[in-house]
Amino acid sequence: MEALGRVSASDLRSPVSRKRVLLKGALITPRVIGSLAEAGIDRVFIYQKPRISLLAIGDKLMAPGMTPAPGKSYDSSNPMLQAALGAMQIRPVFMRRLADEPKLLKRLIPFTLNQSDIVILVIKEAGRGYALVREILKKLDVKVVDLFTSPEVASLSVSKKVIFCLPYHPESVLNSFYTHVRPVIHFFMGHAKH
C-alpha cells in the first residue's frame, strides 16, 4: 500500500463528535483516507516531501548508454540514487553530471541549492573538483554533511538546507544513502527521529 504522506498539523478530530481520529505524524494511506472521509474529514495537512537534487561531479564521468571512451567511466551514482528516491516516491527536481570546471560549478551548485532542500553531491575526493566544491560550499548558508570526513547530521532542522557530499564508489554511494541520507529525508517528511 502506498503511503501518501504524514500528518503535519495537530491531531485530527472529527467535526461531528470532536473525537480524535488521527495523531500528528500518522502515516496517510488509502485506507486511512477512507476512515477520515467516514469521520467527515475532507482535508489533511501533510509534510511536504523535500525537494532533492542529484549532482555527480567528475571529468571522467559519462552517461550510461554512451559509447565507451578511453579513460572514462559510466556514472552509476545518479541512476542508482534516482531509483532509491523513486522507491520513496520522490522524483529529483534537478539531476546533472558535471565536469570539474570552476565556472560551471560556481554557477550550478548555488543554482541547484536554490531549487532544493537537499542536494546529494557525488564526487571523487582525489579529483580536482573536490577542493573547489568545498570552497564553494563554505560560502553558502547550508548544512554540509561531508561523508569523507564526518557524517554529523544530529543538529538538523527542517528549515535548514542540506548538502550531502558522498564518496564516488557505487557501494559507498548506496551505503551512504541508506545510512545517512534516507534518515534525513524521513526527518524532513515528518518522521520523529533521523
Side-chain angles (χ1 to χ4, degrees):
M1 185 177 290
E2 241 179 64
L4 306 174
R6 283 188 181 269
V7 177
S8 66
S10 58
D11 299 350
L12 293 171
R13 297 188 178 277
S14 166
V16 177
S17 67
R18 303 306 299 157
K19 287 185 180 177
R20 186 171 54 200
V21 178
L22 205 57
L23 297 173
K24 178 179 179 177
L27 195 61
I28 303 294
T29 63
R31 177 174 285 148
V32 169
I33 289 172
S35 297
L36 291 170
E38 191 175 343
I41 298 171
D42 67 341
R43 193 165 298 177
V44 177
F45 293 99
I46 62 169
Y47 286 94
Q48 291 287 339
K49 291 181 183 176
R51 297 167 302 149
I52 300 175
S53 291
L54 306 175
L55 295 177
I57 299 175
D59 287 333
K60 297 181 179 181
L61 294 177
M62 57 189 239
M66 292 181 65
T67 305
K72 298 265 186 180
S73 59
Y74 290 113
D75 169 25
S76 61
S77 65
N78 273 347
M80 204 166 28
L81 291 169
Q82 186 178 14
L85 289 171
M88 299 174 75
Q89 284 100 38
I90 297 175
R91 172 180 269 167
V93 293
F94 189 72
M95 186 170 79
R96 289 288 187 275
R97 192 173 303 100
L98 304 171
D100 292 340
E101 295 176 12
K103 283 183 181 176
L104 180 69
L105 294 176
K106 283 179 182 176
R107 185 172 50 85
L108 275 182
I109 289 176
F111 169 81
T112 304
L113 189 61
N114 221 14
Q115 310 296 313
S116 317
D117 301 307
I118 297 173
V119 175
I120 304 172
L121 234 165
V122 179
I123 188 168
K124 288 189 178 183
E125 186 177 16
R128 68 185 175 119
Y130 181 69
L132 176 62
V133 166
R134 286 184 58 95
E135 182 184 311
I136 293 167
L137 296 180
K138 274 185 190 176
K139 296 176 183 175
L140 301 171
D141 181 31
V142 297
K143 169 76 177 170
V144 177
V145 181
D146 190 340
L147 297 178
F148 291 108
T149 55
S150 168
E152 182 56 50
V153 294
S155 62
L156 288 179
S157 70
V158 176
S159 62
K160 189 81 167 171
K161 293 187 177 231
V162 184
I163 293 186
F164 284 93
C165 293
L166 277 57
Y168 190 86
H169 183 275
E171 286 178 21
S172 297
V173 167
L174 211 51
N175 185 39
S176 296
F177 177 82
Y178 287 110
T179 304
H180 302 288
V181 181
R182 188 171 184 253
V184 171
I185 294 170
H186 278 160
F187 171 69
F188 271 73
M189 292 169 63
H191 294 241
K193 295 180 181 178
H194 61 279

